[in-house]
Every structure is written in structure tokens, then in C-alpha cells.
Amino acid sequence: MKKLLLPFLLISAMTMAQKKYVMVIHGGAGTITKANLTPEKEKEYRDKLTEALQKGYSELKNGKSSLDAVTTAIMVMEDSPLFNAGKGAVFTNEGKNELDASVMTGNNLKAGAVAGVTTIKNPILAAKTVMEKSEHVMMAGKGAEDFAKLQGLEIVDPNYFWTEKTWNSLQKMKVKESEKKISATQQKQPDYFLIDQKFGTVGAVALDKNGVITAGTSTGGMTNKKYNRIGDSPIIGAGTYANDQVGLSATGWGEFFIRTVASKTAADRMKFLKENVKDASQASIDEIGRLGGSGGIIALDKDGNIAMPFNTEGMYRGAVTDKGEIEVLIYK
């Protein structure tokens, strides 16, 4: 009887064992529901998220670093017009595309970031290059572009980032802003900054065979942003953070992630309060929600546990296990 029972117990234990994830990604959080996403468009998003996970996993499987995996996965999304990063970046009030990105490796706390760039094809590569080829953490604007060019990164004409979808979004936002100003004047209420409810920031966190965690984030910011506004994505500790325990990447209303230092706060909760990755990252999102902000965070810890909390209608997200099993989710 015992001989028959032992294999059954082993199979049960294996079935119930926690999956070990090696990469988690996001493609933005916001008003994402089945009602406003056609089956065709949903398939496009699922296919592109799957491609990003497949290419990132391939790097890890072949023994490459988590840094390589993260940049590879994010570049897939930067090169797609589906997301608000790289090719699909949204427009500023002036009709420009100003891009931000950052990356951080957890074992040595090295980081790199670029902000407000307009001609770098893949900002995540620029962030990686700042980390690896300079003594700085963040570069901005023309200086960051000059540095990227010197390092041999691909420079494009700003028109490369133009898409009809994002251009039309800017025009709609300007109309809404005008109408809101009239309404606010009549009601004698403050004219709050209009928030684009379709956040499309992209990010990835990976755990490689050496146990090193890397996190990265890339974005075009907010539609209709003004005065060279910079959000949380290029700010280490806000939109991106990694240490030897966990890596995190955020998406959403950046000002709130900056004010709460959302990613670092979650990592600190794990370190000092001994919370698990799900409770710690959820606490950061809950705090942002209490302040009136919205968005989500993806997190991956050193043991391969993941968390993907968000307080919006949906978040483009996915993960891959050490066995290559891919999961892609969109709605709540």
C-alpha cells in the first residue's frame, strides 16, 4: 500500500508546486476592457506580448543575462505601434514624441536612464548603454541623444515615431482640454491635468540562471504632456527598481509613482517588513489608489514568484516560467 501511495504523493506534490517564473512583462495599464478592444486588436496585443516573452525567454534559456533578456523583450514592444513606447509613443502638446526609459540590475545596483529623447529608436538600449558605458545614471534630451549616437545606437528621424492612432489621440485630448477649461471656469473648479486613460508604458523583469534580477521600463509618457514633463519610467526607485531580492517595473499615472517612490517602497517592504512579493507590490498600488492615482506594477523575486497588481480596468501583462510556459493576460 505504501509503495502505491508514494508515487501518488510525489505526483500531487509536483502538481501543487509553485511555478518558477523567469520573466514578467507589461504593456501598460488603463481603461482596457473587452468592450473597447475588438477581437482582432486583442489578438494583436496577445501575439506581441507572447513574442516579447518568447524572445526574452530565449535569451535566458541560452544562458544570456537578465539584462539582455529585459532589453530584448522591451525592444519587441518598443518596435510595435501597439504600445506607448518607441514606435507607438504618444505626442506632447507641441506635437512631438519625447521618450523615457530606464534599466537596473539587482546584484550590483547599477542603473541607467534616458529622458526626453526624440531620435533614439530604442530608448531601452540607450538606458542600458548609459549604465554600461558611462559613470552616470541618467541623461536627458540632446545630451542623451549625442551620447547614444557616439555609442553607435540607431538614430532615427523623429517622424519614425508618428502613428495615426497617437496623433488622433492628441487631437481628441486637446478638444477635451478645451471643453474642460470652459466647464471648470463655469463651475469655478480647478482645471486638473487631463489624464490619458490608455497608458501604454512597457516594462520587463527577468531572473537569469545566475540568480541576477534586472528590471526595465520604457515609455512615451502622457498624451498632451507639456513643458518637457517627465514621468516615473526613467526614475530609479519610482518606475523601475531591482536589488538582489526583487525587480519591479511600473506603469500608470507617473506623478503618483514618483511621489510614493513606488518600486523602491515595494522592495523595502520585502526587505524590512519581510512581506512577500504580492503583498509588497499590492501595498504600493493601494497607496497610489488612496492618493487618487492609477496604474500597475509587475514584480519578480529571486525565487521566481511574480506579482502583477493594478487598480485600473486592465493591464497588458504576461509571464514565462523556467519551463517556457507562457501566460498572457489583459483584463481583470
Side-chain angles (χ1 to χ4, degrees):
M1 183 67 180
K2 285 184 178 179
K3 286 184 179 179
L4 290 172
L5 190 60
L6 187 59
F8 174 77
L9 290 173
L10 284 171
I11 292 170
S12 297
M14 289 171 64
T15 303
M16 295 173 67
Q18 171 68 41
K19 289 182 181 178
K20 181 180 179 181
Y21 293 91
V22 291
M23 172 171 275
V24 57
I25 65 173
H26 70 76
T31 309
I32 306 163
T33 65
K34 277 190 174 292
N36 62 21
L37 203 63
T38 65
E40 294 77 18
K41 187 59 69 175
E42 178 179 328
K43 184 178 184 302
E44 284 185 51
Y45 276 105
R46 289 187 182 278
D47 288 349
K48 191 55 65 173
L49 291 168
T50 299
E51 181 188 345
L53 287 166
Q54 287 173 333
K55 290 189 174 178
Y57 176 74
S58 179
E59 296 282 77
L60 296 171
K61 187 180 179 183
N62 292 329
K64 295 287 188 69
S65 70
S66 54
L67 177 60
D68 290 327
V70 162
T71 51
T72 295
I74 288 178
M75 282 175 63
V76 169
M77 294 183 281
E78 283 183 338
D79 291 344
S80 169
L82 291 172
F83 305 99
N84 175 19
K87 175 63 179 173
V90 299
F91 284 90
T92 69
N93 178 263
E94 295 178 318
K96 297 179 180 179
N97 306 103
E98 295 176 353
L99 297 82
D100 312 321
S102 66
V103 68
M104 184 173 189
T105 52
N107 64 322
N108 53 22
L109 298 184
K110 286 188 176 181
V114 293
V117 296
T118 61
T119 62
I120 300 172
K121 182 174 184 284
N122 292 107
I124 194 64
L125 277 185
K128 177 176 180 280
T129 306
V130 169
M131 181 180 77
E132 294 182 325
K133 305 289 186 181
S134 82
E135 65 272 34
H136 306 304
V137 169
M138 182 185 287
M139 296 182 188
K142 185 178 182 298
E145 293 168 352
D146 289 344
F147 176 76
K149 190 174 183 180
L150 278 173
Q151 297 300 324
L153 298 190
E154 187 170 357
I155 303 299
V156 295
D157 185 283
N159 288 329
Y160 163 80
F161 302 107
W162 190 96
T163 64
E164 185 176 7
K165 179 185 75 172
T166 52
W167 181 254
N168 289 342
S169 292
L170 173 63
Q171 309 316 312
K172 291 176 184 176
M173 190 64 72
K174 284 189 171 184
V175 170
K176 285 183 181 179
E177 184 180 47
S178 175
E179 292 173 348
K180 190 172 181 67
K181 279 180 178 175
I182 295 170
S183 175
T185 303
Q186 291 170 344
Q187 297 173 22
K188 295 183 180 180
Q189 292 177 349
D191 178 30
Y192 293 110
F193 185 74
L194 277 164
I195 300 304
D196 182 358
Q197 293 300 322
K198 294 185 181 67
F199 302 117
T201 296
V202 306
V205 187
L207 173 66
D208 63 29
K209 291 181 178 179
N210 294 318
V212 177
I213 302 170
T214 297
T217 313
S218 181
T219 190
M222 281 183 166
T223 299
N224 198 37
K225 62 184 179 181
K226 303 170 185 175
Y227 314 116
N228 302 119
R229 174 263 188 191
I230 294 170
D232 65 306
S233 295
I235 298 177
I236 300 303
T240 302
Y241 189 74
N243 59 20
D244 58 358
Q245 300 291 310
V246 67
L248 307 102
S249 173
T251 174
W253 192 345
E255 278 70 13
F256 289 88
F257 286 82
I258 295 171
R259 289 163 56 190
T260 59
V261 200
S263 294
K264 179 65 161 58
T265 296
D268 283 349
R269 293 184 74 96
M270 291 180 66
K271 182 176 182 179
F272 300 113
L273 300 181
K274 307 303 179 186
E275 291 184 349
N276 62 45
V277 66
K278 288 189 177 180
D279 291 344
S281 53
Q282 184 65 59
S284 274
I285 293 301
D286 289 345
E287 183 180 14
I288 284 168
R290 284 193 294 272
L291 291 172
S294 57
I297 286 180
I298 57 169
L300 171 66
D301 73 14
K302 64 181 179 59
D303 298 317
N305 302 307
I306 62 170
M308 300 185 284
F310 56 96
N311 64 1
T312 55
E313 294 287 343
M315 181 167 77
Y316 298 113
R317 61 203 189 277
V320 60
T321 70
D322 57 349
K323 303 284 192 302
E325 300 169 28
I326 288 176
E327 302 165 6
V328 172
L329 301 165
I330 296 177
Y331 314 107
K332 273 189 175 177

